[in-house]
Amino acid sequence: FGVTGVEGKIVAAEYCRKEKKPYLGVCLGFQVMVMEYARNVLGMTGANSTEFDEKCENPVVVFMPEIDKDNLGGTMRLGARDTIITPHAGGELSTCYHLYGKKTVVSERHRHRYEVNPDKIDSITSAGLSFVGKDDTSTRMEIAELPRSVHPFYVGCQYHPEFQSRPLKASPPFHGLLLAASGQLNEFLEK
C-alpha cells in the first residue's frame, strides 16, 4: 500500500470514527485504526507502523519479534489461531462477542508479520480503544473495538475473517458491518 496509501486509510478511519460511520478494519485496517487512534485521540506524534516508517517517533505497530526480517519467505504468522473474546474494560459486552454467537473463543485464520506494539497497549486501552480479542497468551491483540455506547460499529481484527466467509453465511465481522450499515445491528444484538 505504501506510505501514501496507508495515510489515506488513516484519514478514512478517522472520518469513520468521528462521524460514527460503520468501520471494519481487517489486518492492516485493524493496524490503521490503532495508528489513527494513537495519533488523534492520544496525541502520539508520529504514531505509525514500523512497516511504513522504521524510525517513527511512536511505533504503535511493530514487526513481530519471532519473524525473520531477512528471510521473508514462509515467515508470516499463518494459519488458524484461537482468539479469546472479553468484555470492554467497563464491563460492556463486546460487539464481536454478540456477532460470534456469544462465544468467548473463536478460531480465525491469520496472515501477518506486524502486530500492535505490546508497550503501547495499556495507553491505547486507557484512552478508550478496547482490545476485546487477544490470543491465548494474552500478548497478541486480535480484536479492537470502541464500545457501542461510544460508536455504533468501530471494529478491527488482526486476522482474516474473509477466509471463512461464504456467499450465504458471511463471517461475523462482515455480517456486523452489513447490519450496522443498514441500521439493523441493534435489533440483531438484542436477540
Side-chain angles (χ1 to χ4, degrees):
F1 300 101
V3 174
T4 304
V6 82
E7 290 300 323
K9 290 175 187 302
I10 291 169
V11 170
E14 179 183 23
Y15 173 81
C16 289
R17 181 181 55 79
K18 286 183 170 180
E19 299 299 320
K20 300 201 183 311
K21 301 295 183 190
Y23 177 91
L24 174 61
V26 173
C27 198
L28 178 58
F30 163 79
Q31 296 169 5
V32 160
M33 72 188 285
V34 172
M35 290 185 276
E36 186 279 322
Y37 205 81
R39 286 179 184 184
N40 299 315
V41 176
L42 277 83
M44 288 186 184
T45 306
N48 210 332
S49 168
T50 57
E51 180 176 9
F52 305 107
D53 182 358
E54 284 193 28
K55 295 180 171 66
C56 63
E57 187 176 339
N58 281 296
V60 294
V61 177
V62 295
F63 203 78
M64 295 168 50
E66 70 274 20
I67 304 295
D68 184 347
K69 283 187 178 184
D70 298 321
N71 300 303
L72 295 180
T75 60
M76 287 186 163
R77 183 171 184 246
L78 294 169
R81 310 225 179 214
D82 285 346
T83 295
I84 313 303
I85 300 175
T86 60
H88 291 274
E92 181 180 330
L93 296 174
S94 76
T95 300
C96 281
Y97 169 78
H98 290 289
L99 293 172
Y100 277 100
K102 299 184 179 179
K103 292 181 182 175
T104 56
V105 180
V106 298
S107 180
E108 290 283 2
R109 290 171 53 192
H110 291 71
R111 185 183 184 281
H112 62 103
R113 289 187 178 100
Y114 290 82
E115 67 177 340
V116 175
N117 185 343
D119 296 336
K120 305 290 186 182
I121 291 167
D122 288 343
S123 56
I124 294 167
T125 301
S126 295
L129 185 62
S130 297
F131 293 106
V132 297
K134 299 177 183 175
D135 74 346
D136 54 8
T137 67
S138 291
T139 57
R140 295 243 151 80
M141 303 302 104
E142 301 286 353
I143 303 170
E145 295 180 0
L146 285 176
R148 283 188 316 284
S149 57
V150 174
H151 192 288
F153 191 84
Y154 196 73
V155 174
C157 50
Q158 181 61 69
Y159 52 79
H160 287 266
E162 71 274 17
F163 290 154
Q164 294 190 48
S165 219
R166 300 295 176 260
L168 298 177
K169 188 173 183 349
S171 72
F174 287 106
H175 188 213
L177 176 64
L178 293 172
L179 289 168
S182 63
Q184 300 175 66
L185 181 62
N186 287 339
E187 182 182 334
F188 176 84
L189 296 177
E190 289 169 6
K191 291 181 183 179

